[in-house]
Amino acid sequence: MTTITNNNVIGAWDAEHALPFEVPTLEAVGLPAGGLPSGGLPSAPTDAAGGLPSAPTGAAGGWPLSQLRAEFPILSERVEGGKPLVWLDNAATTQKPRAVIERLQEYYEHENSNVHRGAHTLAARATDAYEEARGKVAAFIGAPSADNIVFVRGTTEGINLVAQSFVKPLLSPGDEIVLTILEHHANIVPWQVLTQETGAVLRVAPVDDTGQILVDEYRRLFSPRTKFASFTQVSNALGTVVPVEELIAIAHAFGVPTLVDGAQSIPHTPVNVTALDADFFVFSGHKLYAPTGIGAVYGKREHLEAAVPYQTGGNMIKDVTFERTVYQDPPQKFEAGTGNIADAVGLGAAIDFLEQIGIAHIAAWEQELLRYGTAELTKVPGLHLVGTAHHKASVLSFVLDGHSVEEIGQALSREGIAVRAGHHCAQPILRRFGLEGTVRPSLAFYNTPEEIEQLAQVLHRLAG
Ligand code: PLP
């Protein structure tokens, strides 16, 4: 067992939950002590996610990890003169399974057409595939209907859509928008632009030294001038899992609608927007094993009806004269122009693939990897973790004494290990910890304990 001390962190361990925790705690989930097996995903604590109906082995304990990895062709890639690729940059983007790649090929070979117009066979196929994907997104996040789902390019475009279409018309000079210091720039800059356009102001909730939101401080930011609140569910820089259900409930107690940035939560944890009572939830497909250039906005029906589209043109209209235009109902009202049809279909295929494994299985395995990674990294002399909240997902941000983060990123890259080194588009939260950058390995379910060991080995060498 390794006991982590405050020497290994910037900030502090979560005192309330008695961290430093003892690691590894593998026995607790029936795994052998001393290391994780690379043989397979553990069974989820409950089988609520649907189990493994079509796992190729039919193994009760889940898919063998090697078999899962084989579904991702790029994971067999060799880099840097023949070294196996170790992909630990999953918070930036995830790799794509064969099911997604093949679905795109099938779409372009057999279905490609524009949607919602043209009375011919391929238009019908493309429209069916596109709308089926919308239904899969709705079901995956627990939305009441496919009509709650607007396809967008990704989280960034989704937040801009909500800011411009829904929030801007609500604002007068002096009104307030609540954010948190954990936010990605994508959940800061669009709101800042709104304040410049409307005279509204931003109020920002702080975190404690572990990187968790100070909920009482967040509550104190609300006033009769508060018109909207927007926050991430998982921090991309620290990995903090934010108690968004509580933050939403507080906002609602003040009559304030909310947006949840799900870019980093949806790959790692089951999401149910109805149970959360989120007003808006946005995410990017490419962080969910789907293609780039596709994502979704979930919105409550009444909000989507009230919102005014900020992009207009073809596809989103019922009727146009030179005097006036009648818009379509949501969600088409927000999908001006030709959308990213093929990649929406690819997103549907990614969701099918993940549902076969079960997002609860994925979450359980990733938590074990995160614990193991935490244990291994904190054994490296002079390494300091940044972001030590009790509830974390995927991310192991750190700095190492005597080395710039760029230097570490390059040293890892020379060994075939891909991580992000820099500010991660989240400068305010890193500056909260007195830093301009960190090294950020980020985990996905296809990562292995051996990959974590390789990462730790290189870091030990650098530290030594
Ligand atoms: N929000 C968070 C928390 C993120 O991590 C990211 C991307 O890293 C974004 C928003 C922006 O996502 P995208 O670039 O896919 O629009």
Side-chain angles (χ1 to χ4, degrees):
M1 291 259 194
T2 308
T3 299
I4 299 167
T5 70
N6 272 324
N7 293 335
N8 301 119
V9 304
I10 289 194
W13 287 103
D14 181 329
E16 186 191 336
H17 294 94
L19 279 174
F21 49 65
E22 292 180 317
V23 285
T25 57
L26 304 173
E27 302 89 328
V29 291
L31 298 173
L36 293 170
S38 54
L41 297 174
S43 297
T46 72
D47 222 5
L52 301 163
S54 57
T57 60
W63 297 52
L65 195 52
S66 57
Q67 201 164 344
L68 264 183
R69 286 176 63 83
E71 294 297 316
F72 292 80
I74 208 168
L75 296 181
S76 310
E77 194 69 8
R78 300 217 162 229
V79 293
E80 297 290 329
K83 297 186 175 116
L85 172 70
V86 174
W87 187 256
L88 293 173
D89 198 14
N90 295 289
T93 200
T94 51
Q95 299 302 349
K96 315 308 170 200
R98 214 180 291 281
V100 169
I101 299 166
E102 287 174 358
R103 186 64 189 90
L104 292 182
Q105 184 170 359
E106 188 189 334
Y107 174 82
Y108 281 120
E109 287 182 354
H110 301 289
E111 294 154 84
N112 181 50
S113 166
N114 213 325
V115 293
H116 303 307
R117 42 187 175 206
H120 52 69
T121 305
L122 292 194
R125 284 185 193 169
T127 304
D128 286 351
Y130 188 62
E131 293 306 330
E132 206 177 296
R134 196 190 300 280
K136 287 175 185 176
V137 170
F140 190 61
I141 62 171
S145 153
D147 290 342
N148 298 98
I149 306 299
V150 181
F151 281 128
V152 287
R153 264 194 310 135
T155 308
T156 303
E157 192 179 48
I159 294 172
N160 276 278
L161 187 158
V162 175
Q164 290 293 326
S165 294
F166 180 74
V167 182
K168 190 174 175 182
L170 303 177
L171 296 178
S172 306
D175 283 345
E176 296 170 355
I177 299 167
V178 171
L179 306 178
T180 85
I181 195 172
L182 280 176
E183 304 312 317
H184 186 282
H185 298 165
N187 201 22
I188 299 174
V189 185
W191 306 111
Q192 213 164 54
V193 168
L194 271 198
T195 65
Q196 288 154 8
E197 290 174 346
T198 65
V201 293
L202 300 182
R203 310 290 310 273
V204 182
V207 292
D208 63 18
D209 286 345
T210 74
Q212 184 54 275
I213 298 294
L214 288 161
V215 175
D216 287 339
E217 299 289 321
Y218 163 84
R219 185 184 288 107
R220 272 197 273 279
L221 295 178
F222 284 80
S223 79
R225 301 306 308 260
T226 312
K227 291 292 174 349
F228 200 74
S230 187
F231 35 79
T232 193
Q233 190 168 16
V234 172
S235 153
N236 70 308
L238 307 186
T240 311
V241 178
V242 174
V244 291
E245 195 165 356
E246 201 179 345
L247 302 198
I248 291 168
I250 291 168
H252 286 175
F254 287 88
V256 173
T258 56
L259 178 147
V260 176
D261 173 350
Q264 297 293 345
S265 60
I266 197 161
H268 305 298
T269 172
V271 167
N272 187 308
V273 292
T274 305
L276 286 176
D277 200 19
D279 297 277
F280 294 96
F281 182 94
V282 297
F283 73 92
S284 303
H286 71 97
K287 296 187 196 287
L288 191 69
Y289 311 95
T292 51
I294 189 72
V297 173
Y298 157 81
K300 283 185 179 169
R301 177 92 205 164
E302 64 270 26
H303 297 330
L304 292 180
E305 273 166 6
V308 182
Y310 83 117
Q311 291 185 17
T312 53
N315 238 11
M316 49 81 71
I317 55 86
K318 272 186 187 149
D319 192 71
V320 178
T321 68
F322 278 103
E323 287 70 41
R324 59 102 187 89
T325 295
V326 181
Y327 300 146
Q328 293 265 27
D329 294 328
Q332 280 76 25
K333 175 167 103 167
F334 301 103
E335 294 181 0
T338 299
N340 188 350
I341 304 160
D343 293 322
V345 174
L347 172 57
I351 288 172
D352 286 344
F353 177 79
L354 293 172
E355 283 184 333
Q356 273 195 317
I357 305 166
I359 198 86
H361 290 83
I362 287 171
W365 175 248
E366 288 181 349
Q367 282 299 310
E368 290 313 311
L369 286 174
L370 187 62
R371 272 202 200 111
Y372 188 54
T374 305
E376 290 304 297
L377 291 197
T378 48
K379 287 176 192 161
V380 177
L383 185 146
H384 308 279
L385 282 180
V386 188
T388 49
H390 182 63
H391 294 295
K392 280 185 63 177
S394 171
V395 169
L396 286 158
S397 237
F398 69 86
V399 290
L400 184 60
D401 291 344
H403 297 272
S404 73
V405 297
E406 292 77 18
E407 213 176 291
I408 300 164
Q410 284 157 14
L412 290 167
S413 177
R414 282 193 294 276
E415 299 304 321
I417 303 172
V419 301
R420 193 49 64 100
H423 60 54
H424 321 305
C425 297
Q427 288 178 310
I429 186 59
L430 292 189
R431 289 180 180 152
R432 156 68 176 78
F433 288 91
L435 298 167
E436 286 298 317
T438 65
V439 184
R440 184 194 65 178
S442 50
L443 303 162
F445 66 88
Y446 45 54
N447 288 125
T448 67
E450 289 78 10
E451 289 178 322
I452 289 172
E453 282 152 20
Q454 281 174 48
L455 168 73
Q457 259 170 25
V458 180
L459 297 175
H460 274 288
R461 212 178 59 218
L462 282 174

